Amino acid sequence: MSKIEPPPRLTWCQRICYGVGHSLNDLCASMWFSYLIVYLQLVLGFDSNYAGLVLLIGQVADALATPLLGYEASSNKETGICKRYGKRKFLHLIGTICVVLSFPFIFSVCPGCESASQFALTTMLIPLVIIFQVGWAAVQVSHLSLIPAITPHESERDFLNVLRYAVNIISDIGTYAIVWCVFDLTRKPTGNHHTITGDYANKFMEITLIIVGVGTFFSIIFHIGVKEVVSKPLSSTDSSIESESSTSFPLFSDNLSWKGWLKESHFYQVGILYMCTRLFQNMSLVFMPLYLQESLRANDDFIAKIPLVMNVSGLSYLAPFRNYSKCSVKR
């Protein structure tokens, strides 16, 4: 019996190209959660109810789009350009275009709308927010679902997940560093540096254009450096191919349907844990800058400095998690 040759592993260049493929989403998400309420309330003068409504509609659109796009990404239907370019990469490309074309306008002042009511401005923002959130969900789902499609090795999949999280943290740090630099470099020698007002509209527009430009650059690198190849996961009996593929969870020979997932207890355990984690993270991102401005009356650049410190501290988690992943796989 001939020995089965193990599939080749990804090169470091391919890993890095994959890792930066979610940078645009990460940069925009930091801007969205940390500064949307600040921008709407303090710069545009929105009532808190309208500002919260815009954020809520965006999250609802994301919640509805994510499972639908996930179902589409996992389907076996491939036609036209999807066969040549890759279904998930094509979905990623469409999502990237939606984000690039919509997100800058969310943080831009509407010309000639100075006398418009808050209701009218909110109505104009909602379509942009929905397009952005649907595009954001498309990029997120397609990027994450690419992991099992580009490598069958369990340890390499774990590494790509860790790399994805590392780039997420670095992107958050980059966003807050950009905000800090723009606020400091465009600061006038005299004046009030404590309260963010309508005069900061151009600063927020510059910040948004910078992060969208940087994110687009890394998205191009992703599409050039990553090739989508449909590959079957390794069998648990092929220990000669991947000795690290043992797991305490049950293995399934076929892909589960969405109804099958609803019957799995692990689905709810992971979902609830992830939801609680993201809830805590998003709450801190949304309300920390607003708290610094409205309650503490801190300098304007503190809305970048404090989140920056919070995210830098998150980098210390990566190394222990990587070591834990190795230990848990070997057990």
Side-chain angles (χ1 to χ4, degrees):
M1 182 177 179
S2 60
K3 185 178 179 180
I4 301 176
E5 290 294 330
R9 292 183 176 272
L10 299 176
T11 64
W12 271 103
C13 180
Q14 291 173 319
R15 294 175 183 178
I16 298 300
C17 289
Y18 172 82
V20 300
H22 203 256
S23 298
L24 177 62
N25 264 24
D26 296 331
L27 292 165
C28 292
S30 298
M31 191 73 185
W32 168 265
F33 284 114
S34 296
Y35 301 119
L36 179 69
I37 298 294
V38 171
Y39 176 76
L40 293 179
Q41 287 190 212
L42 304 183
V43 178
L44 298 186
F46 272 39
D47 181 78
S48 58
N49 292 327
Y50 283 109
L53 178 63
V54 173
L55 181 64
L56 175 63
I57 290 176
Q59 297 311 110
V60 171
D62 183 22
L64 295 176
T66 298
L68 296 177
L69 291 168
Y71 179 79
E72 177 63 25
S74 62
S75 66
N76 296 323
K77 298 179 181 179
E78 293 185 1
T79 57
I81 191 174
C82 294
K83 286 186 176 180
R84 300 188 299 271
Y85 193 66
K87 178 177 58 179
R88 296 171 182 84
K89 282 187 64 178
F90 182 70
L91 184 61
H92 186 285
L93 178 62
I94 296 298
T96 299
I97 293 174
C98 290
V99 171
V100 170
L101 295 182
S102 61
F103 191 70
F105 294 101
I106 296 176
F107 286 89
S108 300
V109 177
C110 173
C113 299
E114 292 79 7
S115 59
S117 65
Q118 292 186 18
F119 177 79
L121 292 175
T122 303
T123 304
M124 288 188 291
L125 273 176
I126 287 175
L128 293 172
V129 167
I130 293 176
I131 294 173
F132 162 66
Q133 288 291 353
V134 172
W136 195 96
V139 173
Q140 181 193 39
V141 168
S142 58
H143 188 259
L144 186 59
S145 63
L146 261 175
I147 292 180
I150 60 178
T151 177
H153 300 282
E154 191 71 23
S155 60
E156 200 163 46
R157 292 177 181 179
D158 291 340
F159 178 78
L160 291 179
N161 270 308
V162 173
L163 181 62
R164 193 172 184 267
Y165 176 75
V167 174
N168 183 3
I169 297 295
I170 294 172
S171 298
D172 291 343
I173 292 173
T175 299
Y176 301 127
I178 291 171
V179 174
W180 186 1
C181 290
V182 170
F183 278 8
D184 277 356
L185 293 177
T186 59
R187 176 174 293 170
K188 297 179 181 179
T190 59
N192 182 12
H193 301 152
H194 292 276
T195 305
I196 293 178
T197 62
D199 296 334
Y200 282 69
N202 289 334
K203 295 183 180 182
F204 277 96
M205 183 176 64
E206 292 171 3
I207 293 167
T208 305
L209 292 177
I210 291 172
I211 66 172
V212 169
V214 173
T216 302
F217 171 75
F218 284 119
S219 294
I220 293 173
I221 292 178
F222 164 79
H223 281 275
I224 293 175
V226 176
K227 183 179 180 181
E228 180 178 347
V229 178
V230 179
S231 58
K232 295 182 179 180
L234 293 177
S235 172
S236 59
T237 59
D238 293 334
S239 57
S240 61
I241 297 178
E242 181 63 57
S243 60
E244 300 175 359
S245 62
S246 60
T247 176
S248 58
F249 293 99
L251 297 174
F252 301 96
S253 57
D254 299 321
N255 291 330
L256 285 175
S257 65
W258 66 271
K259 293 180 180 179
W261 278 109
L262 296 179
K263 299 177 182 179
E264 291 298 319
S265 60
H266 292 128
F267 173 76
Y268 297 99
Q269 293 173 6
V270 174
I272 292 174
L273 179 62
Y274 181 76
M275 180 186 68
C276 294
T277 304
R278 288 305 301 266
L279 179 63
F280 177 81
Q281 181 188 29
N282 292 344
M283 289 284 286
S284 62
L285 289 176
V286 170
F287 293 111
M288 180 60 72
L290 202 62
Y291 171 73
L292 292 170
Q293 272 290 295
E294 294 197 336
S295 298
L296 300 185
R297 299 294 179 182
N299 284 346
D300 53 7
D301 55 0
F302 270 73
I303 68 171
K305 290 179 180 178
I306 300 302
L308 181 61
V309 172
M310 294 168 60
N311 279 272
V312 169
S313 63
L315 285 175
S316 60
Y317 170 74
L318 291 178
F321 179 79
R322 175 62 177 159
N323 294 332
Y324 172 77
S325 297
K326 291 181 179 179
C327 295
S328 61
V329 169
K330 291 179 179 179
R331 279 192 304 180

Coordinates of all heavy atoms in Angstrom, one line a residue, residues 10 18 73 78 88-89 142-152 157 160 226-233:
L10 N 0.6 25.9 3.8 CA 0.7 27.2 3.2 C 2.0 27.8 3.5 O 2.7 27.6 4.6 CB -0.4 28.1 3.9 CG -1.9 27.6 3.7 CD1 -2.8 28.6 4.4 CD2 -2.2 27.6 2.2
Y18 N -3.5 36.0 3.8 CA -4.9 35.6 4.4 C -5.2 36.5 5.6 O -6.3 37.0 5.8 CB -5.0 34.1 4.8 CG -6.2 33.8 5.5 CD1 -7.4 33.6 4.8 CD2 -6.2 33.8 6.9 CE1 -8.6 33.4 5.5 CE2 -7.4 33.6 7.6 CZ -8.6 33.4 6.9 OH -9.8 33.2 7.6
A73 N -22.5 31.1 1.5 CA -21.0 30.7 1.4 C -20.8 29.2 1.5 O -19.9 28.7 1.0 CB -20.2 31.5 2.4
E78 N -22.0 26.8 -7.6 CA -20.9 27.7 -8.2 C -21.2 27.9 -9.7 O -21.1 26.9 -10.4 CB -19.5 27.1 -7.9 CG -19.2 27.1 -6.4 CD -17.7 26.7 -6.2 OE1 -17.1 26.4 -7.3 OE2 -17.3 26.5 -5.1
R88 N -16.1 32.1 -2.3 CA -15.9 32.9 -1.1 C -15.1 34.1 -1.4 O -15.3 35.2 -0.8 CB -15.2 32.0 0.0 CG -16.0 30.8 0.4 CD -15.2 29.9 1.3 NE -16.0 28.7 1.7 CZ -16.2 27.6 1.0 NH1 -15.5 27.5 -0.2 NH2 -16.9 26.6 1.4
K89 N -14.1 34.0 -2.3 CA -13.3 35.2 -2.6 C -14.2 36.2 -3.4 O -14.0 37.4 -3.2 CB -12.1 34.8 -3.4 CG -10.9 34.3 -2.6 CD -9.7 34.1 -3.5 CE -9.2 35.4 -4.0 NZ -7.9 35.2 -4.8
S142 N -17.2 35.3 4.4 CA -16.3 34.7 3.4 C -14.9 34.5 3.9 O -14.3 33.5 3.6 CB -16.4 35.6 2.1 OG -15.9 36.9 2.4
H143 N -14.4 35.5 4.6 CA -13.0 35.4 5.1 C -12.8 34.2 6.1 O -11.9 33.4 6.0 CB -12.5 36.7 5.7 CG -11.1 36.7 6.1 ND1 -10.6 36.6 7.3 CD2 -10.0 37.0 5.3 CE1 -9.3 36.7 7.4 NE2 -8.9 36.9 6.1
L144 N -13.7 34.1 7.0 CA -13.7 33.0 8.0 C -13.9 31.7 7.4 O -13.2 30.7 7.7 CB -14.7 33.3 9.1 CG -14.6 32.3 10.3 CD1 -13.3 32.4 11.0 CD2 -15.7 32.7 11.3
S145 N -14.8 31.6 6.4 CA -15.1 30.3 5.8 C -14.0 29.8 4.8 O -14.1 28.7 4.4 CB -16.5 30.4 5.1 OG -16.4 31.3 4.0
L146 N -13.1 30.7 4.5 CA -12.0 30.3 3.6 C -11.0 29.4 4.3 O -10.3 28.7 3.7 CB -11.3 31.6 3.1 CG -11.7 32.1 1.7 CD1 -10.9 33.4 1.5 CD2 -11.3 31.1 0.7
I147 N -10.9 29.4 5.7 CA -9.9 28.7 6.4 C -9.9 27.2 6.0 O -8.9 26.6 5.6 CB -10.0 28.9 7.9 CG1 -9.7 30.4 8.2 CG2 -9.1 27.9 8.6 CD1 -9.8 30.7 9.7
P148 N -11.1 26.5 6.1 CA -11.1 25.1 5.8 C -10.9 24.8 4.3 O -10.7 23.7 3.9 CB -12.4 24.6 6.3 CG -13.3 25.8 6.3 CD -12.4 26.9 6.7
A149 N -11.1 25.9 3.5 CA -11.0 25.7 2.0 C -9.6 25.8 1.5 O -9.3 25.4 0.4 CB -11.9 26.7 1.3
I150 N -8.7 26.5 2.3 CA -7.3 26.7 1.8 C -6.3 25.8 2.5 O -5.2 25.7 2.0 CB -6.9 28.1 2.0 CG1 -7.0 28.6 3.4 CG2 -7.8 29.1 1.1 CD1 -6.5 30.0 3.7
T151 N -6.7 25.1 3.6 CA -5.8 24.2 4.2 C -6.6 23.1 5.0 O -7.6 23.4 5.6 CB -4.9 24.9 5.2 OG1 -4.0 23.9 5.9 CG2 -5.6 25.7 6.3
P152 N -6.2 21.8 4.8 CA -6.8 20.7 5.6 C -6.2 20.4 6.9 O -6.7 19.6 7.7 CB -6.7 19.5 4.6 CG -5.4 19.8 4.0 CD -5.2 21.3 3.8
R157 N -5.1 25.5 10.6 CA -6.3 26.3 10.7 C -6.3 27.0 12.1 O -6.8 28.2 12.1 CB -7.5 25.3 10.7 CG -7.7 24.7 9.3 CD -8.8 23.7 9.3 NE -9.0 23.0 8.0 CZ -9.9 22.1 7.8 NH1 -10.7 21.7 8.8 NH2 -10.1 21.6 6.6
L160 N -4.2 30.1 11.6 CA -4.9 31.2 10.8 C -5.9 31.9 11.7 O -6.1 33.1 11.5 CB -5.5 30.6 9.6 CG -4.6 30.0 8.5 CD1 -5.4 29.4 7.4 CD2 -3.6 31.1 8.0
V226 N -4.0 35.0 -2.0 CA -4.7 33.8 -1.5 C -5.5 33.2 -2.6 O -6.2 33.9 -3.4 CB -5.7 34.2 -0.4 CG1 -6.6 33.0 0.1 CG2 -5.0 34.8 0.8
K227 N -5.3 31.9 -2.8 CA -6.1 31.2 -3.9 C -7.0 30.2 -3.2 O -6.6 29.4 -2.4 CB -5.1 30.4 -4.8 CG -5.8 29.7 -5.9 CD -4.8 29.0 -6.8 CE -5.4 28.2 -7.9 NZ -4.5 27.5 -8.8
E228 N -8.3 30.3 -3.5 CA -9.3 29.5 -2.9 C -9.3 28.1 -3.6 O -9.5 28.0 -4.8 CB -10.7 30.1 -3.0 CG -11.8 29.3 -2.4 CD -13.1 29.9 -2.5 OE1 -13.2 31.1 -2.8 OE2 -14.1 29.2 -2.3
V229 N -9.0 27.1 -2.8 CA -9.0 25.7 -3.3 C -9.9 24.9 -2.4 O -9.7 24.8 -1.2 CB -7.6 25.1 -3.4 CG1 -7.7 23.7 -3.9 CG2 -6.7 25.9 -4.2
V230 N -10.9 24.3 -3.0 CA -11.8 23.4 -2.2 C -11.1 22.1 -1.9 O -10.6 21.4 -2.8 CB -13.1 23.1 -3.0 CG1 -14.0 22.2 -2.2 CG2 -13.8 24.4 -3.4
S231 N -10.9 21.9 -0.6 CA -10.2 20.7 -0.1 C -11.0 20.0 0.9 O -11.7 20.6 1.7 CB -8.8 21.1 0.4 OG -9.0 22.0 1.5
K232 N -11.0 18.7 0.9 CA -11.7 17.9 1.9 C -10.9 17.8 3.2 O -9.6 17.7 3.2 CB -11.9 16.5 1.4 CG -12.8 16.4 0.2 CD -13.1 15.0 -0.2 CE -14.0 14.9 -1.4 NZ -14.2 13.5 -1.8
P233 N -11.5 17.9 4.4 CA -10.8 17.8 5.6 C -10.2 16.4 5.7 O -10.7 15.4 5.2 CB -11.9 18.0 6.7 CG -13.0 18.7 6.0 CD -13.0 18.2 4.6

